[in-house]
Amino acid sequence: MSSVEKMPEARRALATPMFADLAGDAQVSFEFFPPKTEKMEETLWESVQTLAPLGPRFVSVTYGAGGTTRERTHATVARIAKETAIPAAAHLTCVEATRAEIDAVANDYWDAGVRHIVALRGDPPTTGAKYATHPGGYENAADLVAGLRKLHPFEISVAAYPECHPDSPDSGHDLDNLKRKMDAGATRAITQFFHEADTFFRFRDAAAAAGIDAEIVPGIMPVMNFASVKRMSAMCNTAVPAWMGHLFEGLDDHPAARQLVAATIAAELSRRLYAGGVRNFHFYTLNRAELSYAICHLLGIRAKPALQEKAA
C-alpha cells in the first residue's frame, strides 16, 4: 500500500466518484413561492418548465405569513394544476382566518383540481409576535389536518423540525406535536431545511422511537446567499456549521463561484442522505431551477422525453 493509500481522506478522494453509480431511484418534489411581479412570474414559470421534465412527485406553492399571499398562491397553484402534468400542492395555514374561511379556500382548491394540501399552523403576520389562535379558527396544524380530512380525501403533507420548532419548549414536545398531526390523518411530513445529514438521521431515529412511522421527507435548501441563509436559519432554529461560513468566505462579489459552491454543498448533503437510505427529496427552489436541476442530475434523475415535450 502506497503512502497516499494509507491516508483515509486520500482514499476517499481517489475512490469512484460519489455520484457515479446512483441507480436513479430517487424521487423529488419542489417548492415555489407565489410571484409578486410579472418578472417574478416569468422566472417562476421558466423554473416550472425546467423542472417538470424530471417528473416530480409534486410541486408546492407557499403561503405568506398571515395569509398575505392567499390569492397569488391560489392563482399559481390553479395554473400549475391546469397547465402542467405535475401534481400541484397548495400551502394552507391557520393564521388570520376562521374555520369557515379556511374550509372555503380548501373547497376552492378541490374544485380547481388540486388534491394535495401542505397543512401548516403558520406564522403570525407581525415578525416576532407570539402565535395566537384566530377566533373561530383552527387551533393548530393537527386541528387543520383533521378539518381537511372531513372535507375531501386530500393528500396532506405537514411540517417537521429536525432541530425543534422555535415555539416548542423541547424536542419531545415537538415530536408529540408531529405525532398528533400524523394521527389526525397527514400523509407525510416534510422537514424544515437543515445543513448536515446527521441532523436528519438523528431526527428520523427519534421520530421512529416516538411511534411515527409515516414518511419523513428531508427538505433541502441550496444556499443561494449565505447571509440570507444565516438569517433564515436563526429564525428557524437551524444550526449553521462553521465550515459552511468558511466555504462562502470571500465570495460576496463572485456570484457564479458562489453558485458552484452552493451546488456542491447541497449535492453532497443529498448524496449523504441517499447513502443513509433516503430516496425522496424536497427542494426549496426559491423559484430558481438551476441548482435543484443539477442536484437531481447528480442523483441520477434524468429528464423524461415525454414530459420534456409537454413542458416545451
Side-chain angles (χ1 to χ4, degrees):
M1 181 180 293
S2 70
S3 60
V4 170
E5 290 172 327
K6 291 177 182 177
M7 301 176 188
E9 184 64 27
R11 288 203 301 273
R12 282 193 290 270
L14 294 170
T16 302
M18 62 191 302
F19 295 97
D21 297 317
L22 295 192
D25 57 345
Q27 290 187 296
V28 293
S29 52
F30 303 109
E31 181 174 296
F32 301 100
F33 59 83
K36 296 179 181 179
T37 65
E38 287 187 14
K39 178 64 177 174
M40 291 173 70
E41 184 167 6
E42 185 180 322
T43 299
L44 167 62
W45 282 99
E46 287 175 356
S47 296
V48 170
Q49 289 177 318
T50 297
L51 296 170
L54 298 177
R57 300 169 79 193
F58 61 88
V59 297
S60 66
V61 182
T62 63
Y63 212 60
T68 51
T69 65
R70 184 176 299 164
E71 295 304 319
R72 290 199 303 274
T73 297
H74 188 280
T76 302
V77 172
R79 184 178 174 187
I80 291 172
K82 181 180 179 182
E83 297 183 18
T84 79
I86 313 169
H91 285 219
L92 195 56
T93 74
C94 305
V95 179
E96 297 289 290
T98 65
R99 288 173 178 254
E101 290 169 334
I102 292 171
D103 288 355
V105 173
N107 285 327
D108 286 345
Y109 279 131
W110 186 267
D111 293 341
V114 176
R115 298 293 181 263
H116 187 170
I117 299 290
V118 180
L120 308 165
R121 187 202 73 178
D123 297 318
T126 304
T127 302
K130 188 174 181 180
Y131 177 82
T133 301
H134 187 74
Y138 286 107
E139 182 180 352
N140 51 36
D143 195 22
L144 175 58
V145 170
L148 291 170
R149 276 277 163 257
K150 294 175 183 176
L151 294 177
H152 302 287
F154 283 113
E155 180 178 349
I156 302 174
S157 296
V158 295
Y161 299 87
E163 292 166 276
C164 196
H165 190 283
D167 290 349
S168 292
D170 55 55
S171 58
H173 181 277
D174 211 44
L175 283 169
D176 288 343
N177 187 48
L178 177 58
K179 191 168 192 313
R180 283 192 291 271
K181 290 188 280 189
M182 306 316 299
D183 291 345
T187 311
R188 73 178 57 79
I190 302 171
T191 76
Q192 177 61 273
F193 68 89
F194 53 91
H195 300 301
E196 296 188 292
D198 283 352
T199 301
F200 177 80
F201 295 140
R202 285 193 296 270
F203 177 72
R204 186 176 64 181
D205 290 346
I212 298 168
D213 56 7
E215 176 188 21
I216 300 178
V217 181
I220 297 170
M221 180 181 287
V223 179
M224 303 282 192
N225 181 297
F226 183 64
S228 296
V229 166
K230 276 186 70 176
R231 286 194 297 272
M232 293 173 65
S233 296
M235 291 169 58
C236 300
N237 199 37
T238 300
V240 180
W243 57 259
M244 183 175 285
H246 177 67
L247 288 177
F248 281 100
E249 188 177 354
L251 295 181
D252 291 350
D253 299 325
H254 301 278
R258 193 166 65 237
Q259 185 157 317
L260 289 171
V261 172
T264 301
I265 292 172
E268 183 175 289
L269 172 61
S270 301
R271 181 64 178 92
R272 292 184 180 202
L273 291 169
Y274 185 96
V278 173
R279 292 297 180 269
N280 295 316
F281 300 82
H282 186 72
F283 291 99
Y284 299 110
T285 68
L286 303 181
N287 290 16
R288 302 298 298 266
E290 299 90 347
L291 293 185
S292 296
Y293 193 97
I295 297 162
C296 289
H297 186 89
L298 289 168
L299 288 171
I301 300 167
R302 300 291 187 268
K304 299 166 179 62
L307 295 175
Q308 214 157 13
E309 289 174 12
K310 285 185 180 179

